[in-house]
Amino acid sequence: MLLKSRSSLPVSLPERKSSMFTVRRLCSTSHSSVDSKEMKKFQLLAHKWWDEEGEFSALHSMNDIRVPFIRDSLLNMSSDYHLGNPLAGVKILDVGCGGGLLSEPLGRLGASVTGIDPLEDNIRTADQHKSFDPVLAKRIQYKSSSLEEIVEEFMETFDVIVASEVVEHVADLETFIKCCSQVLKPEGSLFITTINKTQLSYVLGIVVAEKILGIVPEGTHEWEKFVPPEELERLLEANGFSVKAVNGMLYNPLSGSWSWMESTSVNYALHAVKSGAQGESSPTDTPSEMEGEQPSATAAP
Ligand SMILES: C[S@@+](CC[C@H](N)C(=O)[O-])C[C@H]1O[C@@H](n2cnc3c(N)ncnc32)[C@H](O)[C@@H]1O
């Protein structure tokens, strides 16, 4: 079964001695997943994470659907339920945690969260914000690090990995997925949200979201780096994962809210389980909100 670990503390990571973008451990390949051009873009926004009306507002509101998606998918695979703290004892790695927008609600559900991000300034922002809530102090640990750097130390350590709105920014997706597989326990869950590579995602994600509405700064996304779900599924399966769910997500720029939809042609969320897992996909893998009305849509963030 999943969710075996009962430790309430996040995994303790070694002190980082290398420079900001240096990669120490390379997931059995000579490639880094970190793209220095992408790092420069995020560097400029590192103090903006917790501005709910700012550049990351769509990530704030995405929590309304991505947090229940993660929580319910995990609970449906577990016989262990902790009232009030449903994810108590679950060790989660939040890769590309940014300012901790997703780490914090997962920590509040009881999980022990390790958030990593290659950008030191992101981690500084995340650490500072975490300090406002004493409950999170013991549950979340942040570290400025790439995934490659922690692989050797944290082989098969985590019950769950989340990589939300990250894979469209990495330099080498194959290395990234390999590393995810290596730090995840057998039967562990991987949750990814990202943007599909379609004509519609170009129009909504780049033309409308960046150039017309300015929901995210111009240049945030490169269409070439968007990831079709079929490609992601192929990579995951080649690395010992079984894909349990791929659900389309829709952003409504007028209300600033997200809902589920059947089509994965723009944004989507994926749940995969590392081999060894028992059981089939759960009812929550197809969220009930999927039937909701679908107003004018924009790919974000
Ligand atoms: C769009 S933000 C998403 C932040 C966070 N996951 C959230 O949803 O609130 C993308 C984040 O991925 C990080 N990132 C980019 N490339 C990465 C890589 N190769 N490995 C880990 N994180 C990366 C960036 O520094 C940035 O913080």
Side-chain angles (χ1 to χ4, degrees), residues 123-138:
I123 294 302
R124 211 165 287 132
T125 300
D127 257 330
Q128 191 197 20
H129 198 270
K130 176 188 83 167
S131 70
F132 298 137
D133 185 344
V135 171
L136 298 179
K138 286 187 184 155

Side-chain angles (χ1 to χ4, degrees), residues 70-289:
I70 295 167
R71 179 199 61 202
D72 296 346
S73 300
L74 293 174
L75 291 181
N76 272 284
M77 296 174 68
S78 169
S79 52
D80 246 353
Y81 182 74
H82 299 257
L83 204 63
N85 280 328
L87 300 186
V90 182
K91 283 185 190 149
I92 299 183
L93 177 67
D94 183 1
V95 185
C97 63
L101 305 193
L102 183 53
S103 298
E104 288 203 8
L106 293 174
R108 285 197 189 92
L109 290 172
S112 301
V113 182
T114 300
I116 61 167
D117 199 287
L119 261 186
E120 280 172 12
D121 284 350
N122 284 349
I123 294 302
R124 211 165 287 132
T125 300
D127 257 330
Q128 191 197 20
H129 198 270
K130 176 188 83 167
S131 70
F132 298 137
D133 185 344
V135 171
L136 298 179
K138 286 187 184 155
R139 292 197 191 148
I140 303 180
Q141 169 185 283
Y142 292 117
K143 186 81 188 165
S144 166
S145 177
S146 72
L147 184 54
E148 296 82 31
E149 288 177 292
I150 67 160
V151 163
E152 198 172 274
E153 189 97 20
F154 296 97
M155 263 315 163
E156 301 199 335
T157 297
F158 297 97
D159 300 299
V160 175
I161 298 178
V162 296
S164 191
E165 306 305 300
V166 174
V167 297
E168 67 273 26
H169 300 286
V170 306
D172 181 342
L173 186 56
E174 198 166 350
T175 297
F176 187 87
I177 297 296
K178 266 197 185 109
C179 292
C180 285
S181 173
Q182 288 174 337
V183 297
L184 196 57
K185 287 180 188 171
E187 303 181 18
S189 278
L190 170 63
F191 294 92
I192 289 174
T193 71
T194 189
I195 310 181
N196 198 345
K197 193 175 185 177
T198 58
Q199 286 181 346
L200 189 60
S201 71
Y202 178 77
V203 173
L204 297 179
I206 293 179
V207 179
V208 178
E210 293 188 9
K211 298 183 196 297
I212 299 177
L213 296 181
I215 295 169
V216 290
E218 216 170 321
T220 299
H221 290 120
E222 285 169 40
W223 185 81
E224 291 70 28
K225 296 186 90 160
F226 287 179
V227 185
E230 302 76 25
E231 185 188 329
L232 194 51
E233 286 184 54
R234 187 189 50 75
L235 264 179
L236 287 166
E237 276 155 19
N239 283 282
F241 285 93
S242 149
V243 176
K244 299 292 177 189
V246 186
N247 298 324
M249 299 161 72
L250 183 79
Y251 183 69
N252 176 356
L254 299 178
S255 62
S257 62
W258 289 85
S259 54
W260 296 109
M261 68 170 178
E262 273 188 49
S263 167
T264 56
S265 57
V266 188
N267 296 88
Y268 63 95
L270 177 148
H271 174 209
V273 174
K274 188 172 159 180
S275 65
Q278 307 282 317
E280 296 303 310
S281 61
S282 62
T284 51
D285 284 342
T286 308
S288 53
E289 297 94 318

